[in-house]
Amino acid sequence: WGKGGGGGKGANPPSVKLHVGNLPPDIQRDALEAVFSTYGPLTDVHIMSKGGGTPAAAFVCYTNEQDAGKAKAAMDQGYEIRPGQGNINVQYARARGDKGGGRYQPY
């Protein structure tokens, strides 16, 4: 696939870990596993929920980048965990040490 192109503002490099946002607040691990294991074997699913009706987020980890890429590509087409609640957002997760996202951060 080469360097450059693809992605855009805020795009993170491919990895085995995906960040999944805009999930229903009461999402269950087995529901995410059912959806994401379609694209390859998972090594971990970690759900983060603030409660109070606020959308949840999760990290989904695959055994290899190719499977993570297949899942991301499929979800980029639009996928609703629950119809009517909007598409989930799937991006490659930032590296652990990367604080990322600063508005004034140089390229």
Side-chain angles (χ1 to χ4, degrees):
W1 289 338
K3 296 190 181 208
K9 185 178 178 187
N12 296 312
S15 74
V16 297
K17 184 187 262 189
L18 298 176
H19 178 268
V20 185
N22 198 37
L23 292 167
D26 61 343
I27 191 73
Q28 298 293 314
R29 180 184 176 108
D30 60 345
L32 286 177
E33 288 175 347
V35 170
F36 285 92
S37 66
T38 303
Y39 304 99
L42 301 175
T43 60
D44 190 33
V45 174
H46 178 74
I47 298 172
M48 301 159 289
S49 179
K50 294 180 183 177
T54 303
F59 287 110
V60 177
C61 299
Y62 284 90
T63 57
N64 63 68
E65 284 183 18
Q66 292 78 19
D67 291 340
K70 287 189 294 187
K72 182 181 180 320
M75 298 302 160
D76 283 350
Q77 303 301 311
Y79 185 86
E80 291 182 319
I81 291 275
R82 290 208 186 113
Q85 292 192 353
N87 289 340
I88 61 173
N89 303 317
V90 179
Q91 298 186 8
Y92 290 112
R94 287 193 297 261
R96 187 173 279 254
D98 180 5
K99 300 295 183 200
R103 180 176 290 200
Y104 302 107
Q105 190 173 13
Y107 288 102

